[in-house]
Amino acid sequence: MNQDLQPDRPPERKLPGQVVLVFQGGGALGSYQAGVYQALHEASIEPDWIIGTSIGAINASLIAGNRREDRIPKLKEFWKRVESPPVLDFGGASAGFSHASANWSTYVGGIPAFFKPNVLAHLGMNVPIGSDRAGYYSIMPLEKTLLELVDFERINRDGPRFTVGAAHVRTSEMRYFDSRMTDISVKHILASGALPPAFPAVRIDGELYWDGGILSNTPTEIVFDDNPRRDALIFAVHMWNPAGPEPESIGEVLHRYKDIQYSSRISSHVVRQKQTHRMRHVISQLAARLSEHERNTDSVKELASYGCTTRMHVVQLLAPRLNHDNHTKDIDFSRSGIRHRWEAGFEHTKHMLEKKPWEGEFDPLEGVILHQRTMD
């Protein structure tokens, strides 16, 4: 094996199972995920499995598709490239105008390393311009950027397990592309982030796919349903706040609506999985009470196969609200926005690593244990 493709082996740490990173989609908010990974990296905790949707898939590819020592530099390089062009900073009471101007610049001109306007989209809403061009922007710049920064051979041969989610356009079903079962290419990353109507669908093996966030923006369920199941420490990194105040203006309505839409009911998902895993633990304990003869019968073996004793520790990390946040926060590619969110991800994760909540006591029947970030 080529020396450059040797698997990364960070120092051993005592952790309760495989380390899994789950990254939501959320555009510019994804710099928070980069900060989360940096804190894990500096603590010598590297993921065994990375799952991402949209910008989460992009960040995940930058991690899985590079050597351990190159991952932070590649993340920094990507986020440097996608900074929006600087605009006049009016400060004070006019700070909101500065951000609005920056966002308007992104709407009109795109981001050179990410997406650019598609002039064909303005021929008319009913003009057939082709499935691979039916979007307001072209993502060819992102394809070029990823091919420069990500080693897809490493993803497919020697990187951590890598999974991206995309929505099948024709059937509306969620499809997870997993490096254990298929070769991952740049097209899989582009498909996972092809949010309509901004970006056109991406064709893979003859089928069209859109952004996986349309169906599930927090693909934690794939870890719970994996077969065979394994003990895991899951860092679920969220950018959209599932809880928020009652909106009192149209702007606040749009902001809250988007948070609800893309937070993907993560709390209810975890509750359901806690119930399911508890039942699996109950089955295992009941089977253990049977005689050896009964346990070895075919009928009991089949029933007992539904049980398991795995434990999933879910560490929830949530990106902060910035003072200027509104419903356009996912296109806030400003230098300050990227920096603040990256720093927040870094600090939040350091705080959680210092607490090590997964080392506490647990119910013997508990299958999924949720640890939410609370700042002192």
Side-chain angles (χ1 to χ4, degrees), residues 107-179:
Y107 275 128
V108 173
I111 295 176
F114 202 151
F115 56 89
K116 63 182 180 180
N118 175 19
V119 295
L120 295 176
H122 301 286
L123 295 176
M125 292 189 66
N126 298 314
V127 175
I129 58 177
S131 300
D132 59 342
R133 292 185 288 185
Y136 288 112
Y137 301 93
S138 166
I139 51 175
M140 288 182 63
L142 176 60
E143 181 173 4
K144 180 176 183 293
T145 297
L146 290 176
L147 288 174
E148 291 174 356
L149 298 179
V150 177
D151 181 351
F152 286 93
E153 184 177 2
R154 176 170 289 277
I155 287 178
N156 293 313
R157 288 182 55 187
D158 296 289
R161 183 179 176 184
F162 179 81
T163 306
V164 295
H168 193 281
V169 173
R170 188 170 50 82
T171 64
S172 73
E173 294 179 349
M174 190 70 171
R175 171 76 185 275
Y176 287 108
F177 296 96
D178 193 308
S179 62

Side-chain angles (χ1 to χ4, degrees), residues 44-100:
S44 297
I45 298 175
E46 296 292 342
D48 301 294
W49 185 5
I50 314 177
I51 305 162
T53 298
S54 197
I55 193 67
I58 293 173
N59 280 328
S61 72
L62 291 162
I63 297 168
N66 281 290
R67 297 179 301 176
R68 183 172 180 269
E69 62 268 27
D70 294 332
R71 292 170 180 173
I72 298 299
K74 294 293 186 180
L75 283 166
K76 289 182 177 179
E77 174 64 19
F78 173 81
W79 285 98
K80 180 65 177 177
R81 291 192 190 190
V82 299
E83 281 183 8
S84 57
V87 297
L88 292 177
D89 186 357
F90 295 94
S94 299
F97 181 76
S98 297
H99 288 287

Side-chain angles (χ1 to χ4, degrees), residues 204-247:
I204 300 173
D205 296 331
E207 297 290 340
L208 286 175
Y209 292 90
W210 272 329
D211 191 314
I214 296 173
L215 296 175
S216 178
N217 199 38
T218 312
T220 314
E221 68 269 14
I222 192 173
V223 187
F224 297 136
D225 297 333
D226 194 33
N227 189 21
R229 286 179 292 275
R230 294 174 55 193
D231 290 347
L233 174 58
I234 304 166
F235 291 90
V237 188
H238 307 291
M239 280 92 73
W240 304 94
N241 203 319
E246 294 181 355

Side-chain angles (χ1 to χ4, degrees), residues 325-352:
D325 274 355
N326 57 33
H327 68 284
T328 65
K329 62 187 178 183
D330 52 333
I331 62 166
D332 176 21
F333 286 94
S334 65
R335 179 177 299 178
S336 62
I338 289 172
R339 177 173 56 82
H340 286 314
R341 292 188 174 95
W342 186 308
E343 290 174 352
F346 181 77
E347 292 300 327
H348 291 176
T349 308
K350 280 183 60 180
H351 176 83
M352 187 62 82

